[in-house]
Amino acid sequence: MTDELPDGLPELRASDADREQVSEVLRDALAEGRLDMEEFEERLEATYKARTYKELAPITRDLPAPGVTPPAPTVSMVKGPAAETGSWADRIVGSESCTSQWGVAIMSGFERKGRWTVPRKFNAFAFWGGGVIDLREANFANGEVIVNCVAIMGGMSVIVPPGVEVVVRGIGVMGGFDHREEGVQGDPGAPRVVVTGFAFWGGVGVERKVTKAERLRQKEERRLEKLERKAARQEELEESRRRALEGSGSGVGDVDHRDSLDEARSIHRAAMDQHRELMREHREARREERRERRDDRRGRDRDRD
């Protein structure tokens, strides 16, 4: 979409294909680093809410069109070879880069999340409070790190990314440690997280979750797959209708009549299958929305605690 639109066009209604074209430009900009995740989410939400070309045009105003390479900057951008970004080897950085050694919550809460470096041993203490130790975007000081949690009438949550091996060795007295993520094989080269400590009238939960950016990417992939399936079903339905109309006009007789009836039944079955598939997708979307709201609500509850 561009800002220079013919007279009258800005007020025309935009189609799903137009919105998809804009979202593709946004995804390319995110992959190239032109947009951060927050800007991408804001613009993507505005794209799906847009109803006219006038509302779509400003969303990609400062982004290059697909397939167009902008002029190179005048400053030198030459860099030496680097390892693949985001690999486990890049995320094990050594103890000298640690950004936090401990977390304390006394009748309050603490949170470690985002880009931070986990030391060889991270100590956390909560008394009548709670804490969140999120390792999904973190770097690691060593191939094996220890997260030592002491929860007295409080609770803590340790969140690890997929691919990390988890070992739980904590002791609970009228409390407990979550062992559900134990036994999952880690990726080659991935760090090992050992959760230890003590819980009295409290608990330490361990859960494995993808980042918000990855969840959004997966959601986009599922949405595109649904659009492709919907388009394929529509093409099949249109083809069935075309064959039925051709059959009904090709001749007169019992054979043509039976063929037309068969085609009509086929069209009806295809339409019913499409309706059931759309209803199933609608239910899945509703369940996913409820799950996301529940996760957000739990996160806000942990912050208040």
Side-chain angles (χ1 to χ4, degrees), residues 29 33-34 41 56 79-80 83 90 105 126 129 132 139 151 160 170 177 197 203 216 237 241 282 287:
R34 302 182 192 277
E41 291 176 356
L56 279 178
K79 295 184 180 180
D90 293 336
V132 176
N139 294 324
V160 300
F177 279 72
L216 181 62
L237 187 59
R241 288 173 178 166
H282 178 69
R287 282 195 295 268

Side-chain angles (χ1 to χ4, degrees), residues 2-302:
T2 62
D3 293 332
E4 297 180 1
L5 298 174
D7 293 339
L9 186 57
E11 300 304 328
L12 290 179
R13 304 283 289 189
S15 67
D16 288 339
D18 297 323
R19 283 184 281 270
E20 183 55 37
Q21 181 182 355
V22 173
S23 65
E24 186 65 29
V25 174
L26 295 178
R27 284 191 290 271
D28 290 342
L30 176 66
E32 294 168 356
R34 302 182 192 277
L35 296 176
D36 59 28
M37 182 52 61
E38 184 177 355
E39 291 175 312
F40 172 74
E41 291 176 356
E42 291 176 355
R43 298 194 188 196
L44 191 64
E45 182 179 1
T47 299
Y48 292 140
K49 288 182 177 178
R51 293 293 177 265
T52 65
Y53 286 100
K54 184 178 181 180
E55 295 172 340
L56 279 178
I59 296 175
T60 56
R61 175 180 299 159
D62 56 348
L63 299 175
V68 176
T69 303
T74 56
V75 297
S76 175
M77 300 294 289
V78 178
K79 295 184 180 180
E84 181 182 356
T85 303
S87 66
W88 288 119
D90 293 336
R91 295 179 64 176
I92 301 176
V93 296
S95 58
E96 65 276 2
S97 301
C98 294
T99 54
S100 180
Q101 299 280 347
W102 46 267
V104 176
I106 299 177
M107 293 183 286
S108 61
F110 75 86
E111 190 175 63
R112 298 291 182 272
K113 64 183 295 186
R115 280 291 180 184
W116 67 293
T117 301
V118 187
R120 291 175 181 266
K121 186 174 184 179
F122 180 84
N123 294 299
F125 176 78
F127 175 74
W128 277 14
V132 176
I133 306 167
D134 192 337
L135 310 181
R136 289 177 292 177
E137 299 179 17
N139 294 324
F140 298 84
N142 192 46
E144 178 175 302
V145 297
I146 298 174
V147 180
N148 183 50
C149 300
V150 177
I152 310 296
M153 293 181 286
M156 293 189 203
S157 176
V158 181
I159 306 174
V160 300
V164 170
E165 181 184 359
V166 177
V167 178
V168 180
R169 296 174 180 165
I171 300 173
V173 177
M174 292 184 286
F177 279 72
D178 190 351
H179 291 259
R180 288 177 296 177
E181 297 300 336
E182 278 193 304
V184 179
Q185 188 69 31
D187 292 342
R192 187 170 185 246
V193 177
V194 180
V195 180
T196 66
F198 176 74
F200 176 73
W201 278 13
V204 177
V206 182
E207 55 183 333
R208 194 182 304 270
K209 296 171 61 177
V210 299
T211 61
K212 187 175 182 180
E214 178 64 16
R215 188 170 68 246
L216 181 62
R217 186 190 66 79
Q218 293 174 356
K219 186 175 180 180
E220 278 295 298
E221 287 183 351
R222 291 193 297 269
R223 192 183 67 82
L224 290 176
E225 290 175 359
K226 291 177 182 178
L227 288 175
E228 291 174 358
R229 290 199 301 269
K230 181 179 178 181
R233 288 194 302 269
Q234 190 65 30
E235 289 179 2
E236 293 175 359
L237 187 59
E238 292 296 332
E239 180 65 20
S240 299
R241 288 173 178 166
R242 185 185 62 79
R243 289 198 303 267
L245 291 174
E246 290 176 353
S248 62
S250 60
V252 179
D254 293 339
V255 175
D256 292 336
H257 182 65
R258 285 195 300 269
D259 290 343
S260 298
L261 288 177
D262 290 340
E263 289 292 344
R265 295 191 186 100
S266 176
I267 293 173
H268 177 71
R269 284 194 299 269
M272 292 302 296
D273 289 342
Q274 182 178 7
H275 175 71
R276 283 192 290 268
E277 180 67 15
L278 290 174
M279 293 301 295
R280 185 186 65 80
E281 292 175 357
H282 178 69
R283 289 193 296 269
E284 289 180 356
R286 293 289 301 276
R287 282 195 295 268
E288 184 175 353
E289 290 176 0
R290 287 196 294 268
R291 185 163 54 249
E292 291 180 355
R293 286 198 298 268
R294 185 169 60 250
D295 290 343
D296 292 341
R297 190 163 53 248
R298 287 175 178 172
R300 291 194 296 270
D301 292 342
R302 283 197 299 265

